[in-house]
Each structure stands twice: as structure tokens, then as C-alpha cells.
Amino acid sequence: MTDSQEVSCRSCGHSGLENVLSLGRTPLANALLTADQITRPEESYPLDLAFCPSCTLVQITETVSPEKLFREYLYLSSFSDTMLRHAEEIVTRLVRSRGLGSAHLVVELASNDGYLLQYYKRAKVPVLGVEPATNIARIAEQERGVPTLCEFFGEDLAERLAAEGRRADVVHANNVLAHVADLNGFVRGIGRLLQEDGVAVIEVPYVKEMIDRCEFDTIYHEHLSYFSLTALEGLFRRHGMRINDVERIPIHGGTLRVFAMKDAEGRVRQSAAVESLLAEETEWGVGKVEFYQGFGDKVDGLRRDLLHLLGELKAQGKRIAVYGASAKGSTLLNYFGIGRETLDYVVDRSTTKQGYYTPGTHLPIYSPEKLLEDLPDYGLLLTWNFAEEILDQQAEYRRRGGRFIIPIPEVRVV
């Protein structure tokens, strides 16, 4: 375990973090392997979760170079119908509520394959994506016609865009803040990029849901930070911005969506929702390490339950495949020590992942059609955050007797 006493907080710089959970050394969760690579040694890194008693941010202590994590990336948002619906809803709402049109600009940071900006484009609102993964930026431009800068976002890029007169009326940052090593530079950059009356709409996984629902598999090296509203409020205020509204939404196992504006003069009013959630967080102990420390025991209980069930099924001669070559699945399999002795293969709807092997566990990845060809008895559903969508898509496999094991928040068979 990393000595978190020696690591400074990513947000406020406080030294003396408190350990919450150690998941040992694991390979990078999205580093899928080719057939050649599975015979070679894999790089692995410590995965330890810690808490900052000064600003309440929960974070991992290891920082892997973003170049290594994000320059070639295999997660495409558009392969999830849930993500597309979610994107279209917020776009429709903001176009209407802010009266956006051809004279405005919307920028998305970590814009992936253009899954969100395509809906602004359809509404004739000018857009710009910022996406560091070269393969994905190319898809956004070529397949969706979304202009995309293939760069990491930070203060320098924000300065450059502002100097070119490209300041944004709306900045979106969905599930990217958790990936950023320099939180302060990133938030300063958002402030620089925004028009004076612009709004930043930011979505992050909510730490409270992660702890309550035992979602330990959302911990991997790409996810550096795990936010509460209290931690976000301190971070934005430090850079002359104010969170004026917040919503809790169910996507990805529990997400906070915050709306932030520039507030150098202290005039931005916070909604009742912000005040009430901050008060609720104080009540459940957002600033006390004790709230987070029972997490490890819960995770161990989950591990025992899942290993017991899989062991029983194998003893009965059942065949088990995996649905979802996801990063969260990688954390779960590697930490629980479940591999080829128990599982036959993985299926995933994302064509960019098919033909590769999973990190650490070296399971081959096929398309979901293989479930119908092969009819394994069970599918271990590791992309449980899209369970409803996947169970619908797999109605025929289920009709033919296939069943799914959903591991989180507690082990159940459907």
C-alpha cells in the first residue's frame, strides 16, 4: 500500500491523506491486449484509495501518465443507447433554457466520439470538441462532422481558444474531471474558456453512491478522484467559480451533475438543491474518515459471496461467460482473482474491443452474438451500470435459458 501520508491532495494540496482501501497492484483497466501481448509481462500499478481530511476529496494515490491512458482509447460512448438518450435530453433542455442558436458556441471537454455534440449540431448550434484520443477524435470528425481538437484540455489550451475569440456559452465535461491529475489547472481553464455569463455543466460519479452501493469497481487508474458536492464546491470556489445548481442522476451507478458559473464578485446565488445537498453531506459525515473506512469490509463481503456462487456453479458443471469488457470489470476480476479457471470468454457490443484480450485475466473478447451461438449457462454482467439495456438486448439468450449474474450492489441472478 502507498503511504498516503506522503502524498499531497490533488485538490487542496494538503499532505497527510488517510488510507481507505487498497486493491493491490493491478494492470491498467482499459489496456486491452493483442494475442501477441498476452505472452509478455504486463505492467501493473498500485491501486490505493485515500481521503483528504482537509477538503474531503477521495482519491487514488498513484498517477499514471495521461499519455499512456488516453492517447489511444477503446471506449466509445455511442455504443450505449443509455448514454445517447442521456446526452440528447440535456442538450434539448439547455438549447431551450438558454436560447442557444447560431451565434453561440458549445465546447465539450473529453468529447469522445461526438455522442453529445451531435445533438447541438442538429439544433444548428456551433460546437467544438476537445478529445485527446487520436482514434476517437477521428471518428467524431469523420463520422459525425463534429470539429474536434485532438488535445488534452488545460489552462494553456483555454488561453489559446480565448485569444482566438472562441469562448464558450456552455462547457460540458462529462466523466472527465475524475480523470484529471491537475484539477486546479483544469477548473481555471474552464473559467478562462467561459463567456462571462456562460455555464459549465459537469458530471462526476458521486462518492456517496460508490460507498453505499459498494461500487468499488469504479476504482481504477483512470479515475483519480471520487467527488462529493462538498469537495467540488471547494475546488470551484478556489478559482472564482460558484456551483449554482446540482442534480443527482442515476446514470453510471449514481452521478452528480453540477452547473457552475464565474463568480468573482460573489453575486451568483446557489439553488436550494445545492444548499440542501451540502447540508445532507455534512450530516452523513462527508468530512469524516470513519464514513469511508467500512468500505473495505463491504467489498470483502461481496468478494466472498461472488466467489461462493461461481464456485458452486462450476461444481455443477455450468459454463460461465462475461458480458462487458469494461474497466470496472477489469478491477473486479483482477481484485477478486477470477480468471480463466472460472470464465470462458467475454462478449462486448463495442467493435473496437472485439478480438482483444482482457488485462490481467487474458479472456478473449467476442461480439454478443456469441452468447446465442454458444449458449453458456450464465453471463457474469460486469457492465451492471447498463443492466436494463443489456437485459433487453439479450432477451433471446434469456428466452433460451441463459441467465445473468449481476455482482453489484449485491450478488443476484436474473
Side-chain angles (χ1 to χ4, degrees):
M1 186 187 276
T2 321
D3 184 1
S4 48
Q5 292 297 314
E6 292 172 13
V7 180
S8 298
C9 173
R10 299 176 181 282
S11 180
C12 72
H14 174 83
S15 53
L17 302 182
E18 307 201 33
N19 285 321
V20 172
L21 173 68
S22 176
L23 296 173
R25 290 184 73 91
T26 70
L28 299 179
N30 275 313
L32 301 181
L33 306 167
T34 61
D36 290 347
Q37 288 170 321
I38 58 175
T39 57
R40 298 184 219 144
E42 258 173 287
E43 290 181 319
S44 66
Y45 303 85
L47 192 53
D48 299 323
L49 192 69
F51 164 76
C52 174
S54 175
C55 75
T56 79
L57 183 66
V58 174
Q59 55 205 287
I60 64 168
T61 52
E62 185 82 9
T63 305
V64 177
S65 146
E67 288 286 339
K68 188 168 271 186
L69 291 170
F70 301 115
R71 273 302 181 197
E72 280 284 320
Y73 201 55
L74 295 172
Y75 176 76
L76 297 184
S77 301
S78 295
F79 278 113
S80 162
D81 300 338
T82 310
M83 286 289 286
L84 292 174
R85 257 196 324 274
H86 177 72
E88 189 174 15
E89 278 163 16
I90 186 68
V91 169
T92 306
R93 198 174 115 189
L94 284 167
V95 168
R96 198 173 298 141
S97 68
R98 296 188 70 83
L100 299 174
S102 59
H104 299 95
L105 175 66
V106 176
V107 177
E108 186 180 14
L109 313 178
S111 48
N112 200 268
D113 58 4
Y115 76 102
L116 180 134
L117 291 177
Q118 64 179 338
Y119 297 112
Y120 281 111
K121 197 168 167 261
R122 196 171 72 185
K124 308 280 190 288
V125 180
V127 296
L128 177 66
V130 179
E131 171 52 61
T134 43
N135 58 325
I136 293 184
R138 200 176 306 123
I139 291 171
E141 294 222 89
Q142 291 173 0
E143 294 181 18
R144 295 204 169 75
V146 170
T148 304
L149 292 176
C150 187
E151 296 187 43
F152 285 100
F153 179 76
E155 244 175 315
D156 293 349
L157 179 55
E159 285 294 347
R160 205 170 82 214
L161 290 170
E164 291 167 4
R166 293 203 274 179
R167 287 172 71 192
D169 300 279
V170 178
V171 171
H172 282 276
N174 287 355
N175 297 301
V176 59
L177 199 59
H179 293 184
V180 171
D182 178 11
L183 288 173
N184 293 293
F186 194 88
V187 172
R188 273 197 303 272
I190 290 176
R192 188 70 189 94
L193 182 59
L194 274 178
Q195 297 277 15
E196 289 314 306
D197 60 348
V199 65
V201 185
I202 293 154
E203 294 184 14
V204 294
Y206 190 25
V207 70
K208 175 77 159 54
E209 300 277 8
M210 177 178 93
I211 303 285
D212 285 352
R213 298 166 51 129
C214 207
E215 296 169 356
F216 79 98
D217 58 344
T218 54
I219 301 167
Y220 40 92
H221 295 100
E222 286 168 25
H223 282 175
L224 303 173
S225 303
Y226 303 81
F227 293 98
S228 58
L229 182 59
T230 304
L232 286 168
E233 162 82 351
L235 170 62
F236 278 84
R237 195 174 280 217
R238 198 177 303 131
H239 302 294
M241 292 186 74
R242 194 87 192 267
I243 293 175
N244 64 320
D245 204 7
V246 63
E247 296 164 5
R248 289 180 68 171
I249 47 182
I251 199 162
H252 294 308
T255 290
L256 283 185
R257 176 191 280 153
V258 300
F259 299 81
M261 302 182 79
K262 294 183 176 194
D263 189 32
E265 279 82 51
R267 290 192 193 138
V268 172
R269 300 288 305 270
Q270 287 190 315
S271 68
V274 173
E275 288 171 3
S276 129
L277 189 53
L278 288 171
E280 193 182 299
E281 288 187 347
T282 303
E283 205 162 293
W284 57 249
V286 68
K288 299 196 169 85
V289 71
E290 292 74 21
F291 171 73
Y292 307 94
Q293 277 172 334
F295 188 41
D297 298 338
K298 280 195 208 164
V299 174
D300 288 339
L302 197 61
R303 180 185 190 173
R304 273 194 308 276
D305 293 348
L306 185 58
L307 291 176
H308 178 71
L309 173 64
L310 296 175
E312 280 193 331
L313 294 175
K314 289 309 281 182
Q316 294 161 21
K318 303 294 186 196
R319 292 174 56 240
I320 308 166
V322 171
Y323 194 107
S326 60
K328 30 167 60 71
S330 180
T331 293
L332 185 142
L333 296 180
N334 283 297
Y335 180 55
F336 283 6
I338 305 169
R340 299 176 86 147
E341 72 301 318
T342 307
L343 307 168
D344 294 0
Y345 53 84
V346 178
V347 301
D348 197 286
R349 197 177 165 196
S350 174
T351 47
T352 51
K353 296 181 179 184
Q354 293 160 15
Y356 286 91
Y357 291 78
T358 54
T361 45
H362 301 174
L363 295 161
I365 303 166
Y366 300 102
S367 96
E369 282 70 46
K370 188 162 173 79
L371 291 182
L372 283 180
E373 292 159 18
D374 190 50
L375 288 177
D377 302 290
Y378 290 84
L380 175 59
L381 183 51
L382 295 183
T383 38
W384 50 261
N385 48 324
F386 298 122
E388 210 171 301
E389 177 182 324
I390 291 161
L391 292 173
D392 282 350
Q393 285 164 4
Q394 293 304 320
E396 180 58 20
Y397 165 68
R398 295 170 71 201
R399 197 184 64 74
R400 295 199 202 171
R403 303 180 76 186
F404 280 100
I405 301 163
I406 301 180
I408 285 180
E410 63 271 304
V411 179
R412 62 197 173 95
V413 178
V414 293

mmCIF file of all heavy atoms in Angstrom, residues 323-360:
data_model
loop_
_atom_site.group_PDB
_atom_site.id
_atom_site.type_symbol
_atom_site.label_atom_id
_atom_site.label_comp_id
_atom_site.label_asym_id
_atom_site.label_seq_id
_atom_site.Cartn_x
_atom_site.Cartn_y
_atom_site.Cartn_z
ATOM 1 N N TYR A 323 -20.316 -10.672 -19.645
ATOM 2 C CA TYR A 323 -20.803 -9.613 -20.525
ATOM 3 C C TYR A 323 -20.151 -8.307 -20.092
ATOM 4 O O TYR A 323 -20.320 -7.876 -18.954
ATOM 5 C CB TYR A 323 -22.334 -9.459 -20.473
ATOM 6 C CG TYR A 323 -22.826 -8.605 -21.626
ATOM 7 C CD1 TYR A 323 -23.499 -9.178 -22.699
ATOM 8 C CD2 TYR A 323 -22.548 -7.238 -21.681
ATOM 9 C CE1 TYR A 323 -23.898 -8.412 -23.791
ATOM 10 C CE2 TYR A 323 -22.926 -6.471 -22.759
ATOM 11 C CZ TYR A 323 -23.605 -7.055 -23.817
ATOM 12 O OH TYR A 323 -23.976 -6.301 -24.898
ATOM 13 N N GLY A 324 -19.394 -7.677 -21.013
ATOM 14 C CA GLY A 324 -18.836 -6.349 -20.743
ATOM 15 C C GLY A 324 -17.337 -6.353 -20.500
ATOM 16 O O GLY A 324 -16.877 -6.747 -19.431
ATOM 17 N N ALA A 325 -16.567 -5.918 -21.530
ATOM 18 C CA ALA A 325 -15.101 -5.796 -21.372
ATOM 19 C C ALA A 325 -14.814 -4.392 -20.861
ATOM 20 O O ALA A 325 -14.134 -3.598 -21.501
ATOM 21 C CB ALA A 325 -14.428 -6.028 -22.717
ATOM 22 N N SER A 326 -15.385 -4.081 -19.696
ATOM 23 C CA SER A 326 -15.313 -2.704 -19.186
ATOM 24 C C SER A 326 -14.154 -2.548 -18.206
ATOM 25 O O SER A 326 -13.634 -3.529 -17.668
ATOM 26 C CB SER A 326 -16.622 -2.385 -18.451
ATOM 27 O OG SER A 326 -16.784 -3.296 -17.372
ATOM 28 N N ALA A 327 -13.793 -1.286 -17.964
ATOM 29 C CA ALA A 327 -12.751 -1.004 -16.973
ATOM 30 C C ALA A 327 -13.189 -1.481 -15.594
ATOM 31 O O ALA A 327 -12.412 -2.059 -14.841
ATOM 32 C CB ALA A 327 -12.464 0.499 -16.945
ATOM 33 N N LYS A 328 -14.490 -1.269 -15.271
ATOM 34 C CA LYS A 328 -14.953 -1.704 -13.938
ATOM 35 C C LYS A 328 -14.837 -3.227 -13.835
ATOM 36 O O LYS A 328 -14.474 -3.760 -12.803
ATOM 37 C CB LYS A 328 -16.355 -1.205 -13.597
ATOM 38 C CG LYS A 328 -17.334 -0.999 -14.722
ATOM 39 C CD LYS A 328 -18.766 -0.811 -14.224
ATOM 40 C CE LYS A 328 -18.991 0.358 -13.305
ATOM 41 N NZ LYS A 328 -18.922 1.667 -13.895
ATOM 42 N N GLY A 329 -15.118 -3.930 -14.937
ATOM 43 C CA GLY A 329 -14.991 -5.385 -14.936
ATOM 44 C C GLY A 329 -13.562 -5.823 -14.682
ATOM 45 O O GLY A 329 -13.299 -6.817 -13.991
ATOM 46 N N SER A 330 -12.633 -5.065 -15.223
ATOM 47 C CA SER A 330 -11.214 -5.384 -15.042
ATOM 48 C C SER A 330 -10.817 -5.275 -13.564
ATOM 49 O O SER A 330 -10.132 -6.146 -13.019
ATOM 50 C CB SER A 330 -10.379 -4.424 -15.896
ATOM 51 O OG SER A 330 -9.024 -4.699 -15.735
ATOM 52 N N THR A 331 -11.273 -4.206 -12.902
ATOM 53 C CA THR A 331 -10.984 -4.050 -11.466
ATOM 54 C C THR A 331 -11.553 -5.221 -10.677
ATOM 55 O O THR A 331 -10.885 -5.820 -9.835
ATOM 56 C CB THR A 331 -11.587 -2.728 -10.926
ATOM 57 O OG1 THR A 331 -10.890 -1.636 -11.522
ATOM 58 C CG2 THR A 331 -11.454 -2.621 -9.413
ATOM 59 N N LEU A 332 -12.815 -5.568 -10.970
ATOM 60 C CA LEU A 332 -13.467 -6.633 -10.207
ATOM 61 C C LEU A 332 -12.752 -7.975 -10.400
ATOM 62 O O LEU A 332 -12.400 -8.661 -9.430
ATOM 63 C CB LEU A 332 -14.946 -6.737 -10.604
ATOM 64 C CG LEU A 332 -15.771 -7.743 -9.782
ATOM 65 C CD1 LEU A 332 -17.173 -7.216 -9.517
ATOM 66 C CD2 LEU A 332 -15.868 -9.099 -10.469
ATOM 67 N N LEU A 333 -12.501 -8.356 -11.642
ATOM 68 C CA LEU A 333 -11.883 -9.672 -11.894
ATOM 69 C C LEU A 333 -10.475 -9.746 -11.311
ATOM 70 O O LEU A 333 -10.093 -10.744 -10.705
ATOM 71 C CB LEU A 333 -11.846 -9.968 -13.402
ATOM 72 C CG LEU A 333 -13.204 -10.115 -14.101
ATOM 73 C CD1 LEU A 333 -12.998 -10.394 -15.591
ATOM 74 C CD2 LEU A 333 -14.049 -11.223 -13.472
ATOM 75 N N ASN A 334 -9.689 -8.673 -11.490
ATOM 76 C CA ASN A 334 -8.308 -8.711 -11.006
ATOM 77 C C ASN A 334 -8.231 -8.683 -9.477
ATOM 78 O O ASN A 334 -7.447 -9.413 -8.880
ATOM 79 C CB ASN A 334 -7.486 -7.574 -11.621
ATOM 80 C CG ASN A 334 -7.091 -7.893 -13.060
ATOM 81 O OD1 ASN A 334 -6.354 -8.855 -13.303
ATOM 82 N ND2 ASN A 334 -7.579 -7.130 -14.014
ATOM 83 N N TYR A 335 -9.059 -7.863 -8.835
ATOM 84 C CA TYR A 335 -9.006 -7.807 -7.372
ATOM 85 C C TYR A 335 -9.584 -9.076 -6.740
ATOM 86 O O TYR A 335 -9.071 -9.586 -5.760
ATOM 87 C CB TYR A 335 -9.720 -6.560 -6.842
ATOM 88 C CG TYR A 335 -9.674 -6.464 -5.334
ATOM 89 C CD1 TYR A 335 -8.452 -6.511 -4.663
ATOM 90 C CD2 TYR A 335 -10.834 -6.353 -4.572
ATOM 91 C CE1 TYR A 335 -8.393 -6.448 -3.276
ATOM 92 C CE2 TYR A 335 -10.784 -6.283 -3.186
ATOM 93 C CZ TYR A 335 -9.559 -6.332 -2.542
ATOM 94 O OH TYR A 335 -9.509 -6.276 -1.176
ATOM 95 N N PHE A 336 -10.656 -9.610 -7.332
ATOM 96 C CA PHE A 336 -11.274 -10.831 -6.787
ATOM 97 C C PHE A 336 -10.513 -12.088 -7.195
ATOM 98 O O PHE A 336 -10.782 -13.170 -6.683
ATOM 99 C CB PHE A 336 -12.737 -10.949 -7.253
ATOM 100 C CG PHE A 336 -13.693 -10.044 -6.504
ATOM 101 C CD1 PHE A 336 -13.257 -9.119 -5.578
ATOM 102 C CD2 PHE A 336 -15.061 -10.124 -6.749
ATOM 103 C CE1 PHE A 336 -14.145 -8.281 -4.893
ATOM 104 C CE2 PHE A 336 -15.969 -9.299 -6.073
ATOM 105 C CZ PHE A 336 -15.505 -8.378 -5.152
ATOM 106 N N GLY A 337 -9.574 -11.955 -8.150
ATOM 107 C CA GLY A 337 -8.798 -13.125 -8.577
ATOM 108 C C GLY A 337 -9.634 -14.141 -9.345
ATOM 109 O O GLY A 337 -9.517 -15.347 -9.155
ATOM 110 N N ILE A 338 -10.520 -13.664 -10.229
ATOM 111 C CA ILE A 338 -11.360 -14.563 -11.031
ATOM 112 C C ILE A 338 -10.848 -14.510 -12.471
ATOM 113 O O ILE A 338 -10.722 -13.419 -13.038
ATOM 114 C CB ILE A 338 -12.840 -14.100 -11.019
ATOM 115 C CG1 ILE A 338 -13.356 -13.968 -9.578
ATOM 116 C CG2 ILE A 338 -13.716 -15.058 -11.820
ATOM 117 C CD1 ILE A 338 -14.704 -13.257 -9.476
ATOM 118 N N GLY A 339 -10.549 -15.680 -13.058
ATOM 119 C CA GLY A 339 -9.989 -15.668 -14.417
ATOM 120 C C GLY A 339 -10.434 -16.866 -15.223
ATOM 121 O O GLY A 339 -11.569 -17.326 -15.120
ATOM 122 N N ARG A 340 -9.498 -17.414 -16.004
ATOM 123 C CA ARG A 340 -9.838 -18.448 -16.982
ATOM 124 C C ARG A 340 -10.239 -19.776 -16.348
ATOM 125 O O ARG A 340 -10.831 -20.624 -17.012
ATOM 126 C CB ARG A 340 -8.656 -18.668 -17.931
ATOM 127 C CG ARG A 340 -8.322 -17.400 -18.706
ATOM 128 C CD ARG A 340 -7.110 -17.559 -19.585
ATOM 129 N NE ARG A 340 -7.493 -18.127 -20.880
ATOM 130 C CZ ARG A 340 -6.893 -17.833 -22.030
ATOM 131 N NH1 ARG A 340 -5.898 -16.982 -22.043
ATOM 132 N NH2 ARG A 340 -7.284 -18.386 -23.150
ATOM 133 N N GLU A 341 -9.894 -19.952 -15.062
ATOM 134 C CA GLU A 341 -10.298 -21.200 -14.386
ATOM 135 C C GLU A 341 -11.822 -21.239 -14.190
ATOM 136 O O GLU A 341 -12.412 -22.299 -14.040
ATOM 137 C CB GLU A 341 -9.555 -21.361 -13.034
ATOM 138 C CG GLU A 341 -9.980 -20.431 -11.905
ATOM 139 C CD GLU A 341 -9.848 -18.929 -12.190
ATOM 140 O OE1 GLU A 341 -8.829 -18.507 -12.777
ATOM 141 O OE2 GLU A 341 -10.770 -18.179 -11.818
ATOM 142 N N THR A 342 -12.460 -20.064 -14.227
ATOM 143 C CA THR A 342 -13.899 -19.969 -13.955
ATOM 144 C C THR A 342 -14.690 -19.489 -15.168
ATOM 145 O O THR A 342 -15.822 -19.900 -15.383
ATOM 146 C CB THR A 342 -14.126 -18.960 -12.792
ATOM 147 O OG1 THR A 342 -13.299 -19.346 -11.695
ATOM 148 C CG2 THR A 342 -15.574 -18.911 -12.346
ATOM 149 N N LEU A 343 -14.087 -18.578 -15.943
ATOM 150 C CA LEU A 343 -14.819 -17.892 -17.011
ATOM 151 C C LEU A 343 -14.288 -18.308 -18.380
ATOM 152 O O LEU A 343 -13.079 -18.474 -18.552
ATOM 153 C CB LEU A 343 -14.663 -16.378 -16.827
ATOM 154 C CG LEU A 343 -15.048 -15.863 -15.423
ATOM 155 C CD1 LEU A 343 -14.589 -14.418 -15.235
ATOM 156 C CD2 LEU A 343 -16.559 -15.975 -15.204
ATOM 157 N N ASP A 344 -15.196 -18.450 -19.365
ATOM 158 C CA ASP A 344 -14.774 -18.932 -20.688
ATOM 159 C C ASP A 344 -14.294 -17.809 -21.618
ATOM 160 O O ASP A 344 -13.321 -17.967 -22.339
ATOM 161 C CB ASP A 344 -15.937 -19.676 -21.370
ATOM 162 C CG ASP A 344 -16.294 -20.957 -20.626
ATOM 163 O OD1 ASP A 344 -15.636 -21.236 -19.601
ATOM 164 O OD2 ASP A 344 -17.221 -21.666 -21.054
ATOM 165 N N TYR A 345 -15.014 -16.704 -21.638
ATOM 166 C CA TYR A 345 -14.683 -15.595 -22.540
ATOM 167 C C TYR A 345 -15.560 -14.405 -22.160
ATOM 168 O O TYR A 345 -16.427 -14.510 -21.291
ATOM 169 C CB TYR A 345 -14.919 -15.982 -24.016
ATOM 170 C CG TYR A 345 -16.302 -16.529 -24.295
ATOM 171 C CD1 TYR A 345 -17.401 -15.683 -24.532
ATOM 172 C CD2 TYR A 345 -16.539 -17.916 -24.291
ATOM 173 C CE1 TYR A 345 -18.678 -16.196 -24.763
ATOM 174 C CE2 TYR A 345 -17.813 -18.429 -24.520
ATOM 175 C CZ TYR A 345 -18.873 -17.561 -24.757
ATOM 176 O OH TYR A 345 -20.132 -18.065 -24.962
ATOM 177 N N VAL A 346 -15.328 -13.277 -22.866
ATOM 178 C CA VAL A 346 -16.096 -12.049 -22.630
ATOM 179 C C VAL A 346 -16.794 -11.667 -23.932
ATOM 180 O O VAL A 346 -16.236 -11.875 -25.016
ATOM 181 C CB VAL A 346 -15.136 -10.893 -22.231
ATOM 182 C CG1 VAL A 346 -15.895 -9.584 -22.017
ATOM 183 C CG2 VAL A 346 -14.354 -11.260 -20.980
ATOM 184 N N VAL A 347 -18.015 -11.128 -23.833
ATOM 185 C CA VAL A 347 -18.626 -10.514 -25.021
ATOM 186 C C VAL A 347 -18.847 -9.032 -24.749
ATOM 187 O O VAL A 347 -19.067 -8.629 -23.603
ATOM 188 C CB VAL A 347 -19.967 -11.188 -25.424
ATOM 189 C CG1 VAL A 347 -19.760 -12.668 -25.715
ATOM 190 C CG2 VAL A 347 -21.052 -10.984 -24.385
ATOM 191 N N ASP A 348 -18.751 -8.228 -25.811
ATOM 192 C CA ASP A 348 -18.945 -6.783 -25.668
ATOM 193 C C ASP A 348 -19.466 -6.230 -26.986
ATOM 194 O O ASP A 348 -19.034 -6.650 -28.063
ATOM 195 C CB ASP A 348 -17.631 -6.092 -25.295
ATOM 196 C CG ASP A 348 -17.866 -4.690 -24.749
ATOM 197 O OD1 ASP A 348 -18.180 -3.786 -25.551
ATOM 198 O OD2 ASP A 348 -17.747 -4.494 -23.530
ATOM 199 N N ARG A 349 -20.381 -5.292 -26.888
ATOM 200 C CA ARG A 349 -21.008 -4.723 -28.084
ATOM 201 C C ARG A 349 -20.065 -3.787 -28.857
ATOM 202 O O ARG A 349 -20.273 -3.504 -30.030
ATOM 203 C CB ARG A 349 -22.246 -3.937 -27.605
ATOM 204 C CG ARG A 349 -23.224 -3.615 -28.690
ATOM 205 C CD ARG A 349 -24.426 -2.902 -28.067
ATOM 206 N NE ARG A 349 -25.237 -2.251 -29.106
ATOM 207 C CZ ARG A 349 -26.132 -1.325 -28.853
ATOM 208 N NH1 ARG A 349 -26.339 -0.945 -27.606
ATOM 209 N NH2 ARG A 349 -26.824 -0.783 -29.824
ATOM 210 N N SER A 350 -19.029 -3.312 -28.191
ATOM 211 C CA SER A 350 -18.118 -2.354 -28.817
ATOM 212 C C SER A 350 -17.178 -3.064 -29.796
ATOM 213 O O SER A 350 -16.326 -3.859 -29.388
ATOM 214 C CB SER A 350 -17.304 -1.626 -27.749
ATOM 215 O OG SER A 350 -16.341 -0.817 -28.380
ATOM 216 N N THR A 351 -17.324 -2.750 -31.080
ATOM 217 C CA THR A 351 -16.499 -3.407 -32.108
ATOM 218 C C THR A 351 -15.014 -3.083 -31.917
ATOM 219 O O THR A 351 -14.161 -3.849 -32.354
ATOM 220 C CB THR A 351 -16.941 -2.949 -33.520
ATOM 221 O OG1 THR A 351 -17.061 -1.527 -33.506
ATOM 222 C CG2 THR A 351 -18.289 -3.538 -33.894
ATOM 223 N N THR A 352 -14.708 -1.949 -31.262
ATOM 224 C CA THR A 352 -13.294 -1.588 -31.064
ATOM 225 C C THR A 352 -12.608 -2.509 -30.048
ATOM 226 O O THR A 352 -11.390 -2.545 -29.971
ATOM 227 C CB THR A 352 -13.142 -0.126 -30.573
ATOM 228 O OG1 THR A 352 -13.990 0.069 -29.448
ATOM 229 C CG2 THR A 352 -13.493 0.871 -31.643
ATOM 230 N N LYS A 353 -13.386 -3.254 -29.249
ATOM 231 C CA LYS A 353 -12.783 -4.134 -28.233
ATOM 232 C C LYS A 353 -12.713 -5.594 -28.683
ATOM 233 O O LYS A 353 -11.925 -6.372 -28.154
ATOM 234 C CB LYS A 353 -13.589 -4.052 -26.924
ATOM 235 C CG LYS A 353 -13.551 -2.673 -26.285
ATOM 236 C CD LYS A 353 -14.329 -2.631 -24.979
ATOM 237 C CE LYS A 353 -14.238 -1.241 -24.350
ATOM 238 N NZ LYS A 353 -14.896 -1.191 -23.044
ATOM 239 N N GLN A 354 -13.567 -5.955 -29.640
ATOM 240 C CA GLN A 354 -13.623 -7.359 -30.074
ATOM 241 C C GLN A 354 -12.295 -7.773 -30.707
ATOM 242 O O GLN A 354 -11.670 -6.992 -31.417
ATOM 243 C CB GLN A 354 -14.795 -7.549 -31.047
ATOM 244 C CG GLN A 354 -16.140 -7.359 -30.363
ATOM 245 C CD GLN A 354 -17.270 -7.053 -31.334
ATOM 246 O OE1 GLN A 354 -17.151 -7.231 -32.539
ATOM 247 N NE2 GLN A 354 -18.391 -6.570 -30.796
ATOM 248 N N GLY A 355 -11.871 -9.016 -30.407
ATOM 249 C CA GLY A 355 -10.606 -9.509 -30.955
ATOM 250 C C GLY A 355 -9.427 -9.280 -30.021
ATOM 251 O O GLY A 355 -8.334 -9.808 -30.244
ATOM 252 N N TYR A 356 -9.633 -8.490 -28.954
ATOM 253 C CA TYR A 356 -8.581 -8.280 -27.945
ATOM 254 C C TYR A 356 -8.786 -9.244 -26.766
ATOM 255 O O TYR A 356 -9.733 -10.031 -26.744
ATOM 256 C CB TYR A 356 -8.621 -6.837 -27.425
ATOM 257 C CG TYR A 356 -8.079 -5.815 -28.393
ATOM 258 C CD1 TYR A 356 -8.912 -5.168 -29.305
ATOM 259 C CD2 TYR A 356 -6.730 -5.472 -28.380
ATOM 260 C CE1 TYR A 356 -8.417 -4.220 -30.194
ATOM 261 C CE2 TYR A 356 -6.220 -4.519 -29.255
ATOM 262 C CZ TYR A 356 -7.062 -3.899 -30.165
ATOM 263 O OH TYR A 356 -6.559 -2.966 -31.024
ATOM 264 N N TYR A 357 -7.885 -9.127 -25.764
ATOM 265 C CA TYR A 357 -7.971 -9.929 -24.535
ATOM 266 C C TYR A 357 -8.002 -8.980 -23.340
ATOM 267 O O TYR A 357 -7.454 -7.882 -23.397
ATOM 268 C CB TYR A 357 -6.745 -10.852 -24.411
ATOM 269 C CG TYR A 357 -6.731 -11.953 -25.446
ATOM 270 C CD1 TYR A 357 -6.343 -11.693 -26.757
ATOM 271 C CD2 TYR A 357 -7.122 -13.261 -25.118
ATOM 272 C CE1 TYR A 357 -6.344 -12.691 -27.722
ATOM 273 C CE2 TYR A 357 -7.121 -14.272 -26.070
ATOM 274 C CZ TYR A 357 -6.734 -13.980 -27.375
ATOM 275 O OH TYR A 357 -6.743 -14.981 -28.317
ATOM 276 N N THR A 358 -8.628 -9.434 -22.252
ATOM 277 C CA THR A 358 -8.776 -8.563 -21.073
ATOM 278 C C THR A 358 -7.464 -8.451 -20.294
ATOM 279 O O THR A 358 -6.699 -9.416 -20.212
ATOM 280 C CB THR A 358 -9.869 -9.113 -20.134
ATOM 281 O OG1 THR A 358 -9.555 -10.478 -19.827
ATOM 282 C CG2 THR A 358 -11.240 -9.037 -20.771
ATOM 283 N N PRO A 359 -7.200 -7.277 -19.706
ATOM 284 C CA PRO A 359 -5.956 -7.081 -18.948
ATOM 285 C C PRO A 359 -5.909 -7.960 -17.701
ATOM 286 O O PRO A 359 -6.911 -8.102 -16.993
ATOM 287 C CB PRO A 359 -5.966 -5.599 -18.571
ATOM 288 C CG PRO A 359 -7.307 -5.072 -18.904
ATOM 289 C CD PRO A 359 -8.027 -6.059 -19.739
ATOM 290 N N GLY A 360 -4.763 -8.575 -17.457
ATOM 291 C CA GLY A 360 -4.586 -9.381 -16.229
ATOM 292 C C GLY A 360 -5.185 -10.766 -16.339
ATOM 293 O O GLY A 360 -4.544 -11.762 -16.013
#
